C-alpha cells in the first residue's frame, strides 16, 4: 500500500516555494555501516566542499531559503539548523560525518552532496499517512533524553511532520523522533527529499539515492514519485 503524504495549505502559504520528492522502497537490506558506505560519506563531503568553494554552508542560496522559512515559523535557524545545513557543517569539520547504519549513510551522503534535506522513515512503524502541518502545540513528540523516553510538544505554529500517532520530525526536518527512524531491522522505508526556491535539482538527487538503494539492496522494489510542485 502506497504511503500518503500531504502538505497543508498553511505550510504552502508559509513557504510557497516548497517542493518534495518521495522514494518508497521495500525489500531493503540494512545493517551496520560498511567501508563502502563510509567511502560514500567521505566522497559526499568532498563534493560539498567543491560546491561551496570556500563559503560556509549557510551562505548557499538553498540554505538561505531554509533559514528564511525557519524564521517565518518562529524558529532560530542558527540554533536549530535544517538537517542539510547541520550535516554539511559536520561534514566540513575535523570529525567528519557520523556513521549510523547503511541506509542512513546512503541518504546522508546524498543530502550532503546535493545540500538538500533528506529524511528516512521506517514504513512499518508509520501509523496512517504522513502530513506536513503547522502544529497546534498539543501534539506529542516522543524522544529520548538522558537515556529515558520522554514526551515533548512542538511550539504552536511550528512546522512538523506527523502521522496518526504523533509528530515524527520537529521543526520541519530538524530533529527526527526515534519511533520511526531507520534501524538495522528496517526492510521498508520512505525517503523524503525537500527543496525550497531557489530549488536545487531534487530529481537528480532522488535518482542518485534510488541508484544507491538498488546497488546496496539488490532486488528491492523502489518507486520514485515525481516531485510535488512548489506552491
Amino acid at each position: 500500500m502506497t504511503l500518503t503524504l500531504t502538505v497543508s495549505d498553511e505550510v504552502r502559504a508559509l513557504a510557497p516555494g516548497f517542493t518534495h520528492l518521495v522514494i518508497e522502497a521495500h525489500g531493503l537490506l540494512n545493517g551496520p555501516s560498511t567501508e563502502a558506505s563510509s567511502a560514500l560519506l567521505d566522497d559526499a563531503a568532498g563534493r560539498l566542499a567543491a560546491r561551496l568553494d570556500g563559503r560556509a554552508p549557510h551562505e548557499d542560496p538553498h540554505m538561505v531559503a531554509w533559514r528564511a522559512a525557519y524564521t517565518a515559523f518562529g524558529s532560530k535557524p542558527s540554533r536549530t539548523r535544517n538537517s542539510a545545513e547541520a550535516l554539511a557543517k559536520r561534514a566540513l569539520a575535523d570529525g567528519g560525518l557520523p556513521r549510523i547504519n547503511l541506509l542512513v549513510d546512503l541518504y546522508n551522503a546524498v543530502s550532503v552532496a546535493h545540500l538538500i534535506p533528506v529524511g528516512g522513515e521506517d514504513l512499518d512503524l508509520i501509523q496512517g499517512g504522513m502530513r506536513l502541518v503547522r502544529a497546534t502545540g498539543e501534539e506529542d513528540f516522543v524522544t529520548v533524553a538522558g537515556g529515558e523516553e520522554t514526551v515533548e510538544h512542538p511550539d504552536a505554529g511550528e512546522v512538523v511532520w506527523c502521522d496518526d500517532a504523533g509528530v515524527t520530525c520537529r521543526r520541519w526536518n530538524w530533529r527526527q523522533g526515534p519511533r520511526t527512524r531507520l534501524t538495522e531491522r528496517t526492510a521498508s522505508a520512505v525517503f523524503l527529499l525537500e527543496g525550497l526556491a531557489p530549488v536545487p535539482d531534487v530529481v537528480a538527487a532522488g535518482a542518485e539515492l534510488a541508484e544507491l538503494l538498488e546497488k546496496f539492496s539488490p532486488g528491492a522494489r523502489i518507486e520514485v514519485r515525481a516531485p510535488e510542485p512548489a506552491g
Side-chain angles (χ1 to χ4, degrees):
M1 182 171 155
T2 299
L3 178 72
T4 300
L5 293 97
T6 57
V7 178
S8 72
D9 291 341
E10 291 78 9
V11 173
R12 292 287 189 196
L14 176 75
F18 176 63
T19 187
H20 65 280
L21 180 144
V22 177
I23 300 175
E24 189 168 326
H26 300 270
L28 295 169
L29 302 174
N30 201 10
S33 300
T34 64
E35 288 187 8
S37 70
S38 183
L40 284 171
L41 291 169
D42 290 338
D43 178 68
R47 291 165 65 185
L48 172 69
R51 173 195 177 111
L52 292 174
D53 192 24
R55 295 174 299 160
H58 70 267
E59 296 176 297
D60 181 88
H62 193 215
M63 297 299 95
V64 170
W66 275 106
R67 283 193 165 215
Y70 270 49
T71 300
F73 67 76
S75 182
K76 294 182 178 180
S78 60
R79 289 183 57 189
T80 55
R81 295 178 176 87
N82 74 80
S83 65
E85 184 182 328
L87 271 179
K89 190 174 175 66
R90 294 189 71 172
L92 298 174
D94 290 341
L97 288 163
R99 275 59 172 166
I100 308 298
N101 59 53
L102 182 59
L103 290 177
V104 174
D105 289 353
L106 298 186
Y107 79 70
N108 277 350
V110 171
S111 175
V112 168
H114 292 267
L115 207 51
I116 293 173
V118 183
E121 307 279 354
D122 190 317
L123 273 172
D124 294 329
L125 301 176
I126 294 171
Q127 299 186 33
M130 292 184 65
R131 303 176 297 282
L132 186 65
V133 301
R134 299 198 70 176
T136 65
E138 300 298 318
E139 298 90 347
D140 288 344
F141 178 71
V142 179
T143 187
V144 175
E148 298 291 332
E149 186 175 286
T150 185
V151 177
E152 298 177 354
H153 303 284
D155 300 326
E158 181 182 324
V159 176
V160 297
W161 279 102
C162 60
D163 65 3
D164 291 351
V167 173
T168 58
C169 195
R170 285 198 59 189
R171 295 191 179 121
W172 211 316
N173 49 44
W174 166 65
R175 181 194 291 171
Q176 182 186 32
R179 175 172 59 88
T180 58
R181 68 186 174 191
L182 304 185
T183 70
E184 293 182 17
R185 298 183 300 277
T186 298
S188 296
V190 60
F191 301 90
L192 186 64
L193 294 80
E194 300 179 293
L196 289 172
V199 180
D201 194 348
V202 294
V203 173
E208 182 174 337
L209 180 54
E211 183 177 337
L212 288 172
L213 293 172
E214 291 170 350
K215 176 181 178 181
F216 285 86
S217 294
R221 304 187 310 279
I222 298 169
E223 175 194 359
V224 180
R225 303 186 208 167
E228 290 290 332

